[in-house]
Amino acid sequence: MKLLFDQNLSSDDLMERLDDLWPGSCHVRDPSLGLIDADNKTYDDEILVYARRHGFAVVTTDKGFPKQSRELGDPPKVIVMPTGNCRIEEVERILRERYGDLLRFHNNERESVFWI
């Protein structure tokens, strides 16, 4: 499973910190992804479509992502971390602690949203 971190989880080294568990993960601001600017109203839709097409699970703090994901139909996996403005070390710790749960979620075809 590859993780695609949304704009609210920004860190230059988060993907490097988690590469041992989730290789190939990236951030939506990675210019090589070609995602549109965050000011555009359709930005979240672009993220969800990109994630579905490229096999990513979206990691977000945005509680509206699950509803929006279902509205698009055939949603990608969405992992919601309602953590507020916590430090990147805390995000890393949580994702590492929940690794087994996240793998089970990823392999469950009936589930599209995982709340941490």
Side-chain angles (χ1 to χ4, degrees), residues 25-67:
S25 296
C26 57
H27 193 276
V28 295
R29 290 186 184 146
D30 182 333
S32 70
L33 302 184
L35 293 170
I36 59 175
D37 185 63
D39 293 332
N40 189 303
K41 293 169 90 173
T42 62
Y43 187 62
D44 288 348
D45 288 348
E46 294 283 330
I47 292 169
L48 292 166
V49 169
Y50 184 91
R52 180 178 58 231
R53 285 186 184 151
H54 299 279
F56 284 93
V58 177
V59 181
T60 183
T61 61
D62 183 347
K63 296 175 185 168
F65 249 82
K67 181 177 185 267

Side-chain angles (χ1 to χ4, degrees), residues 81-99:
M81 298 185 70
T83 55
N85 291 330
C86 70
R87 296 170 40 94
I88 290 303
E89 293 83 7
E90 182 69 7
V91 172
E92 177 188 9
R93 183 191 63 74
I94 292 167
L95 290 172
R96 285 186 178 283
E97 285 179 358
R98 301 300 299 271
Y99 180 71

